[in-house]
Amino acid sequence: MVGRHNVLVKKYGNAAHSHMTRKLGVMSEGTFNLVYENLRSFGINKVYLHFQGEPFLNKLTPKFADVLKRNSFEVGIFTNGQAFNDRNIEEIAGAEVDLIRFSVDGASEETYQQNRVGGRFDRVYENMKKVALAHKGKKTRVEWQFLVLKNNEKETETARDMAEKIGVHLFTKGYRESVPELVPENPEYRSKYHNKPCKDIYHQIGIYWNGDVVPCCYDVDGREIMGNILRDDLRGIWNGKKYRDFRSRVDNFRKSPDSEPQICQSCLRWK
């Protein structure tokens, strides 16, 4: 987990997502409706219906997508592809979102199961095929994201051929080195750092299923909760003292390095 890399590596030897400690859950329709109204009033026009979890475990995700699209939002969804069925494929195709991205880190059963423990490559590949077919002629872009690791980097061209065969766009994602033994040998497949101070905090917010608002998509454990959408409106949270102090600590990391948020000190995206 990028935001707690230093702490987790020291404790466990890696920063895998399995070490996430915050409570699991799915967003209710009532919470979504409140979030939706706040997004509109705040002026946000692009929404990703996922946050370090599998969105299609929530049966309401296609309905949420449909509401957003009917009200002119740009909508993207990242998925591991395992939770699709004929019903939700039909429902999400009806919503006609802008992007559906499958995270599939392997082009064979053996390699895929090393990186997606408990998943099945044959299932996710068949689901990619079904989703691509259901969106044929629609504006939705269906992608296969292939995170390149040491154990799968030799399968990248195989994945490209398999994606083309079913009408899916493939792109290779560079690895952020959270688990040292998975670093790919080819340096082209390793992500590059951006120079601090971080700009992402001015272009994104994250809202958990329970309404908690965090400033970064890498804050997977809720270390920097700025407020809760069930208690305060989004504009008030954004302009509140806690959020303003957080942005100041990020911007002034050179002058006051000890005050920089912990999730930023160990970030693998900004350095």
Side-chain angles (χ1 to χ4, degrees):
M1 295 186 289
V2 175
R4 300 193 63 216
H5 178 264
N6 292 350
V7 174
L8 294 175
V9 168
K10 184 177 180 179
K11 185 174 182 179
Y12 300 108
N14 61 65
H17 280 76
S18 58
H19 302 310
M20 187 174 72
T21 60
R22 69 180 170 93
K23 293 181 179 180
L24 304 179
V26 295
M27 184 173 285
S28 68
E29 187 167 6
T31 299
F32 169 78
N33 290 338
L34 192 57
V35 170
Y36 162 73
E37 292 297 337
N38 273 270
L39 296 178
R40 277 205 321 174
S41 63
F42 195 59
I44 290 174
N45 55 27
K46 186 174 185 177
V47 178
Y48 287 102
L49 286 172
H50 59 269
F51 195 163
Q52 304 292 348
E54 173 46 50
F56 288 99
L57 289 177
N58 188 343
K59 295 180 180 180
L60 294 174
T61 291
K63 183 175 183 178
F64 296 166
D66 187 60
V67 170
L68 292 166
K69 285 305 303 176
R70 283 191 285 106
N71 288 276
S72 302
F73 283 84
E74 183 179 343
V75 179
I77 307 177
F78 294 5
T79 173
N80 63 30
Q82 296 290 333
F84 278 111
N85 53 55
D86 290 344
R87 179 178 178 178
N88 60 23
I89 289 175
E90 181 180 357
E91 289 174 339
I92 200 62
E96 197 168 350
V97 300
D98 299 273
L99 172 67
I100 298 175
R101 178 177 294 173
F102 287 80
S103 298
V104 184
D105 309 324
S108 67
E109 199 70 57
E110 180 182 3
T111 303
Y112 176 79
Q113 290 195 19
Q114 291 179 46
N115 302 321
R116 297 280 173 171
V117 178
R120 284 174 43 193
F121 179 72
D122 61 340
R123 176 186 293 166
V124 71
Y125 186 68
E126 181 65 20
N127 284 341
M128 278 197 290
K129 181 179 179 180
K130 288 181 178 180
V131 169
L133 183 62
H135 288 84
K136 190 172 183 179
K138 298 180 182 291
K139 66 179 182 179
T140 305
R141 180 179 176 89
V142 182
E143 294 183 344
W144 174 348
Q145 175 184 284
F146 191 95
L147 176 62
V148 184
L149 308 166
K150 187 174 182 178
N151 63 20
N152 69 13
E153 60 185 311
K154 293 182 180 179
E155 294 185 349
T156 54
E157 291 309 312
T158 300
R160 196 176 307 280
D161 292 340
M162 295 179 74
E164 184 177 357
K165 183 177 180 180
I166 60 174
V168 172
H169 304 274
L170 182 130
F171 77 96
T172 55
K173 180 181 178 181
Y175 184 58
R176 301 192 186 283
E177 302 177 18
S178 56
V179 183
E181 59 267 26
L182 291 180
V183 176
E185 294 180 2
N186 188 337
E188 293 183 6
Y189 293 139
R190 302 172 194 170
S191 282
K192 307 297 189 296
Y193 285 103
H194 298 287
N195 293 324
K196 287 184 177 182
C198 170
K199 308 297 190 303
D200 291 343
I201 59 169
Y202 290 97
H203 302 289
Q204 63 169 256
I205 60 170
I207 303 177
Y208 294 156
W209 62 272
N210 65 352
D212 284 342
V213 176
V214 292
C216 174
C217 63
Y218 291 136
D219 189 2
V220 296
D221 269 334
R223 301 286 164 172
E224 296 286 349
I225 295 174
M226 298 292 110
N228 187 286
I229 208 76
L230 304 182
R231 296 190 297 268
D232 306 294
D233 66 89
L234 188 56
R235 189 176 299 278
I237 294 172
W238 177 263
N239 292 322
K241 183 179 186 302
K242 191 170 185 179
Y243 221 139
R244 287 186 283 110
D245 286 350
F246 177 86
R247 291 191 290 265
S248 177
R249 289 158 61 203
V250 172
D251 291 340
N252 295 308
F253 78 98
R254 287 192 178 90
K255 293 181 180 179
S256 303
D258 292 338
S259 297
E260 185 182 26
Q262 185 186 77
I263 62 170
C264 302
Q265 291 177 22
S266 58
C267 184
L268 294 177
R269 177 173 169 82
W270 296 87
K271 189 176 184 180

